[in-house]
C-alpha cells in the first residue's frame, strides 16, 4: 500500500502521517528532509542541490527531484509500503513524481487530502508562539495564557515566528490553492483521492482515513 498525504499547513497531516506509518508499517518519504540529507553529501548530486538551495536560494528543478526520488525509492525493498509527505506539491512535480513511482514498479493507491478552511488554519497557527531562548513551541491557551508571559521553562521572551504571522500564513495558503489544488484535482480524476475533514479531533480524522483505506488492504 502506497499513500500520498497532502494538506495545507496546520491541517495536522504530520500527526496523521506518524499514526498511519506506525499502524501500517509505512516508510515515510519526506522530500524536503531527503533533499537536505543529500545536500550534505559530498557527491556531484549533493553539491548541485546545495548550490540551488543554499547558494542560489532557488527551487530545486524537477529533473533533480526525480533523480533524488528514484534513489530513495530504489533504497527500499519492493514490498515496503510508503507514505509520501507533502509531495507532489505542484503539477510540475506531479509529473516527475508519477514517473519516478511507476519506474520503481510501484503504484499510488490513495492520495489523502486533509482539508481545513483558511480561517481554521490561521486560527491554529496564530496560537503558536516560541521561546526566543530555548526555542520551545508554546501553544497559547494551553502552555501559556498570553504571549506577554515569559517562557515557563527558562523565563525567556516569547515571540512569534515571522512565518507564523497571519499575513504570511494567508500568502502560503494562496500558494497551496494555486499550486496544490490542481494536483489534488489530478488525482481525483484518477479516482485515487480521499478527502477527510481536518477540522475534527486527531482521533476522528484518523478514523475517517482508516475507513477510506479499508478497500485497499
Ligand atoms: Zn524557554
Amino acid at each position: 500500500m502506497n499513500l500520498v498525504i497532502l494538506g495545507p499547513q496546520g491541517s495536522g497531516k504530520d500527526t496523521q502521517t506518524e499514526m498511519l506509518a506506525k499502524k501500517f508499517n509505512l516508510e515515510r518519504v519526506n522530500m524536503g528532509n531527503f533533499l537536505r540529507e543529500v545536500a550534505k553529501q559530498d557527491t556531484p548530486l549533493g553539491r548541485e542541490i546545495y548550490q540551488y538551495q543554499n547558494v542560489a536560494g532557488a527551487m530545486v528543478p524537477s529533473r533533480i527531484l526525480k533523480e533524488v526520488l528514484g534513489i530513495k525509492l530504489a533504497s527500499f525493498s519492493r514490498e515496503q509500503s510508503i507514505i509520501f509527505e507533502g509531495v507532489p506539491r505542484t503539477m510540475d512535480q506531479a509529473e516527475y513524481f508519477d514517473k519516478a513511482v511507476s519506474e520503481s514498479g510501484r503504484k499510488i493507491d490513495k492520495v489523502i487530502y486533509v482539508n481545513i478552511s483558511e480561517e481554521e488554519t490561521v486560527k491554529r497557527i496564530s496560537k503558536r508562539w516560541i521561546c526566543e531562548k530555548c526555542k520551545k513551541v508554546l501553544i497559547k491557551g494551553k502552555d501559556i495564557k498570553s504571549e506577554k508571559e515569559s517562557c515557563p521553562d527558562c523565563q525567556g521572551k516569547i515571540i512569534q515566528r515571522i512565518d507564523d504571522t497571519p499575513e504570511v500564513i494567508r500568502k502560503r495558503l494562496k500558494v497551496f490553492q494555486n499550486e496544490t489544488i490542481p494536483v489534488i484535482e489530478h488525482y481525483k480524476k484518477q479516482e485515487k483521492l480521499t478527502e477527510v475533514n481536518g477540522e475534527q479531533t486527531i482521533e476522528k480524522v484518523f478514523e475517517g482515513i482508516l475507513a477510506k483505506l479499508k478497500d485497499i488492504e
Side-chain angles (χ1 to χ4, degrees):
M1 177 170 76
N2 299 301
L3 305 173
V4 168
I5 188 161
L6 298 171
Q9 199 197 9
S11 61
K13 65 176 185 305
D14 296 347
T15 309
Q16 296 300 326
T17 302
E18 206 178 310
M19 290 162 83
L20 286 165
K22 203 167 163 201
K23 181 162 176 82
F24 296 109
N25 185 29
L26 306 171
E27 192 70 52
R28 295 174 67 168
V29 173
N30 179 314
M31 282 303 281
N33 290 349
F34 190 51
L35 279 173
R36 273 189 290 275
E37 223 173 89
V38 179
K40 279 186 205 148
Q41 296 163 5
D42 191 18
T43 60
L45 185 63
R47 284 193 292 271
E48 198 176 359
I49 296 171
Y50 184 87
Q51 190 70 24
Y52 277 108
Q53 291 192 320
N54 302 72
V55 182
M59 283 261 292
V60 176
S62 298
R63 159 184 70 82
I64 295 183
L65 289 173
K66 182 168 181 278
E67 191 179 339
V68 168
L69 185 63
I71 296 170
K72 187 78 179 170
L73 290 176
S75 72
F76 302 132
S77 77
R78 190 66 66 82
E79 295 71 38
Q80 177 65 54
S81 295
I82 297 170
I83 184 162
F84 298 92
E85 307 179 55
V87 69
R89 212 175 286 230
T90 64
M91 274 313 287
D92 188 39
Q93 289 182 5
E95 223 166 282
Y96 86 73
F97 178 83
D98 291 349
K99 257 185 227 148
V101 170
S102 80
E103 278 168 17
S104 83
R106 293 186 171 82
K107 71 177 183 76
I108 298 297
D109 296 292
K110 280 264 187 264
V111 174
I112 301 160
Y113 170 33
V114 186
N115 190 0
I116 67 168
S117 67
E118 180 168 333
E119 284 325 301
E120 182 67 15
T121 303
V122 173
K123 207 171 94 191
R124 285 185 185 181
I125 298 172
S126 314
K127 278 193 217 159
R128 200 163 69 188
W129 294 75
I130 64 166
C131 167
E132 195 177 39
K133 204 167 147 200
C134 73
K135 309 288 179 218
K136 186 181 172 166
V137 175
L138 301 160
I139 305 298
K140 198 165 144 182
K142 191 175 141 221
D143 306 311
I144 49 166
K145 278 202 191 82
S146 151
E147 63 272 21
K148 294 186 181 71
E149 295 170 22
S150 46
C151 172
D153 282 11
C154 76
Q155 306 306 312
K157 194 177 170 218
I158 294 174
I159 54 164
Q160 191 162 39
R161 295 191 326 148
I162 298 239
D163 278 4
D164 291 345
T165 57
E167 307 87 82
V168 180
I169 297 164
R170 284 188 205 279
K171 213 184 247 174
R172 268 202 308 269
L173 284 174
K174 203 142 269 158
V175 174
F176 186 85
Q177 272 298 327
N178 294 339
E179 309 262 347
T180 311
I181 294 296
V183 174
I184 287 163
E185 291 296 325
H186 162 79
Y187 289 114
K188 197 174 187 173
K189 275 185 212 135
Q190 299 179 16
E191 296 179 353
K192 287 184 176 169
L193 192 78
T194 275
E195 188 172 331
V196 283
N197 172 12
E199 294 183 26
Q200 311 176 80
T201 61
I202 290 171
E203 292 74 24
K204 281 270 180 242
V205 175
F206 192 56
E207 270 173 36
I209 296 173
L210 292 185
K212 288 173 175 171
L213 293 181
K214 269 206 182 101
D215 49 325
I216 55 167
E217 267 182 270

